[in-house]
């Protein structure tokens, strides 16, 4: 099927790869835009992309006998793993972000311990004898 937004597909294909223009040092990819689209427009693209993935289940299942990526939903495992790699990258970037930029949104409730006992329990060290693993 045709892409609903080939321009955005090309724009985001590069991910966060470094800006390397020498193809012997990096795979070929699209140019960095001089101006990024507004955040709302990007979010609409993301939402539509996810919606189309969710709506593709029946079409992919129908191809399971003739397409190795459709068999047993392999393409979805691949997509999920790819998404997890993005989440991990974001996590590392967030950890390196200066604390002054880590601002909790107002709508997030203050942290409160759960359970009946709100007291901090003393941690006890326990001795585990050596053995074979």
């Amino acid at each position: 099927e045709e892409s609903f937004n080939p321009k955005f597909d090309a724009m985001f294909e590069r991910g966060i790869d470094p800006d390397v223009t020498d193809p012997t040092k990096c795979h070929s990819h699209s140019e960095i835009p001089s101006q990024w689209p507004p955040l709302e427009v990007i979010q609409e693209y993301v939402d539509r992309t996810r919606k189309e993935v969710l709506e593709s289940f029946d079409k992919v299942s129908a191809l399971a006998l003739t397409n190795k990526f459709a068999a047993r939903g392999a393409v979805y495992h691949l997509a999920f793993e790819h998404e997890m790699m993005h989440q991990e990258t974001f996590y590392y970037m967030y950890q390196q972000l200066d604390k002054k930029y880590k601002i909790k949104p107002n709508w997030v409730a203050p942290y409160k311990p759960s359970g009946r006992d709100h007291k901090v329990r003393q941690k006890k060290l326990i001795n585990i004898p050596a053995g074979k693993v």
Side-chain angles (χ1 to χ4, degrees):
E1 286 187 32
E2 296 280 325
S3 169
F4 67 88
N5 195 331
K7 181 180 173 187
F8 273 32
D9 294 346
M11 187 184 314
F12 293 114
E13 74 183 356
R14 74 182 334 274
I16 62 168
D17 288 343
D19 184 19
V20 178
T21 54
D22 182 351
T24 64
K25 296 181 180 176
C26 183
H27 65 280
S28 63
H29 49 69
S30 59
E31 295 295 319
I32 297 174
S34 57
Q35 183 170 353
W36 288 93
L39 181 59
E40 299 80 26
V41 175
I42 294 172
Q43 190 60 55
E44 287 171 10
Y45 171 76
V46 170
D47 291 344
R48 169 114 183 245
T49 300
R50 290 181 186 210
K51 178 179 179 271
E52 293 213 4
V53 168
L54 292 173
E55 291 175 353
S56 72
F57 289 168
D58 289 338
K59 292 177 190 174
V60 170
S61 293
L63 299 172
L65 296 175
T66 59
N67 184 302
K68 67 180 178 180
F69 292 110
R72 298 186 323 209
V75 68
Y76 298 114
H77 294 282
L78 183 71
F80 181 72
E81 181 180 19
H82 185 87
E83 177 69 19
M84 292 298 94
M85 289 172 28
H86 284 293
Q87 296 299 325
E88 182 179 24
T89 301
F90 175 73
Y91 173 76
Y92 292 126
M93 292 169 63
Y94 184 78
Q95 291 303 315
Q96 294 176 13
L97 188 65
D98 189 290
K99 188 177 179 179
K100 69 182 177 184
Y101 297 112
K102 297 177 184 178
I103 302 168
K104 184 172 67 169
N106 293 334
W107 54 267
V108 175
Y111 172 75
K112 292 182 183 176
S114 61
R116 288 185 250 155
D117 184 7
H118 294 298
K119 296 178 185 176
V120 176
R121 295 186 173 103
Q122 288 293 94
K123 293 182 180 179
K124 296 179 183 176
L125 293 178
I126 57 171
N127 186 26
I128 299 175
K132 292 185 178 183
V133 178

